[in-house]
Amino acid sequence: MDKRILVRLAIYPIAYIMWGGLMWYSQIIEPIDATNLLLKFPLCSKEFYLFLQSLPSIVIEFFRIIYLYGFSFMIVGGIAYYLFIKKDFLKSDIILVDLALGWLFAGLIYTIVVVQSPFQVGVAKDLINMHYFWIFTKPTYEIPSLHTAYSFLLALHFKDEKPLNYIYFALAILIPISTLIMGMHWIVDVITGILYGYVIYKFPKTIHLKINKALDFLAGHIKPCISCGKCKN
């Protein structure tokens, strides 16, 4: 197997644990709870969620599957596609760094202000009912919705990959809807999540290129120094 793949298989999981762990530092200070302010927005009412969660059981189950597995498929499948099938290491690294930056910047936002989930304030029911799920996140990590942001971000990264782009854009629509139906997010979270995903996608790729070269260097693909700016690949 290509050493560049092996290096990434070793680094990617470590990076995921590290940037996921960064989210928990928001407990150091007490953030502002803006839930009451958000409840004044349209489509943040109990009636809206009552309508969503009264959909036929087969529809509810479909969106439960989308919420639980569609999101993971987009991230893991997206990186794996570029890493193993396309062998586009730069693209896989760019996606990884985009996800890391998304966690980091969102962590800063959640440190300052949080919003409780619809199910936490009795506006909706928790249709996921998976308490261990909160090991990886918190129900106050609402604005922006990272489920929405990352699904939109991955769809943008796949916009030129036909026919997979159709699947990714379909999931980028279904996943935000699933967060509402499951009682996990507010409509405001979804809207800000879309904008947040676009901002991350457009973020300058300077750090992405440096990390890509660093990983190639670890794999022995780049022999000279990568820090002086004068060496060639």
Side-chain angles (χ1 to χ4, degrees):
M1 183 179 290
D2 193 316
K3 287 185 178 180
R4 287 175 292 176
I5 294 179
L6 292 175
V7 165
R8 285 163 174 82
L9 287 178
I11 297 297
Y12 283 6
I14 296 174
Y16 181 81
I17 293 172
M18 289 181 65
W19 82 58
L22 285 174
M23 298 296 287
W24 292 95
Y25 72 81
S26 63
Q27 291 298 297
I28 296 175
I29 63 174
E30 187 69 27
I32 300 170
D33 190 331
T35 308
N36 290 333
L37 177 63
L38 189 143
L39 285 169
K40 298 178 181 179
F41 284 80
L43 301 182
C44 291
S45 65
K46 191 169 186 177
E47 291 74 19
F48 174 67
Y49 283 94
L50 182 62
F51 166 73
L52 290 179
Q53 298 189 331
S54 63
L55 292 170
S57 58
I58 189 171
V59 176
I60 296 293
E61 189 59 33
F62 170 77
F63 279 102
R64 194 197 317 273
I65 293 171
I66 290 293
Y67 182 87
L68 291 174
Y69 305 112
F71 182 65
S72 299
F73 167 80
M74 289 191 79
I75 293 179
V76 177
I79 293 177
Y81 172 76
Y82 284 109
L83 190 60
F84 294 106
I85 298 176
K86 295 276 289 191
K87 289 186 170 53
D88 186 340
F89 304 111
L90 175 59
K91 185 69 171 181
S92 65
D93 292 345
I94 286 175
I95 293 175
L96 182 87
V97 177
D98 275 353
L99 295 173
L101 290 175
W103 275 109
L104 179 61
F105 297 147
L108 295 173
I109 295 172
Y110 302 147
T111 299
I112 299 171
V113 60
V114 295
V115 172
Q116 297 180 64
S117 298
F119 77 85
Q120 285 185 290
V121 293
V123 173
K125 296 178 181 178
D126 177 7
L127 298 186
I128 297 298
N129 194 26
M130 293 176 63
H131 298 295
Y132 72 85
F133 190 70
W134 308 122
I135 295 174
F136 306 100
T137 183
K138 298 177 184 177
T140 51
Y141 290 167
E142 295 292 295
I143 300 178
S145 162
L146 289 185
H147 264 73
T148 300
Y150 284 168
S151 58
F152 187 63
L153 170 68
L154 266 295
L156 290 174
H157 277 301
F158 270 79
K159 67 181 187 300
D160 298 321
E161 295 291 337
K162 295 182 179 180
L164 287 175
N165 59 335
Y166 298 114
I167 297 175
Y168 269 74
F169 273 104
L171 286 172
I173 295 171
L174 294 173
I175 288 174
I177 295 174
S178 75
T179 68
L180 297 174
I181 294 177
M182 294 299 108
M184 298 294 113
H185 278 287
W186 308 90
I187 191 71
V188 177
D189 308 344
V190 170
I191 295 172
T192 54
I194 293 172
L195 296 175
Y196 186 68
Y198 182 77
V199 169
I200 295 297
Y201 178 73
K202 288 294 186 178
F203 196 81
K205 304 304 179 189
T206 306
I207 187 173
H208 304 64
L209 295 173
K210 289 182 177 179
I211 289 177
N212 170 257
K213 288 189 175 182
L215 293 177
D216 281 350
F217 177 73
L218 288 175
H221 187 68
I222 297 178
K223 299 300 182 182
C225 167
I226 62 171
S227 61
C228 67
K230 299 179 181 179
C231 301
K232 297 181 179 180
N233 294 354

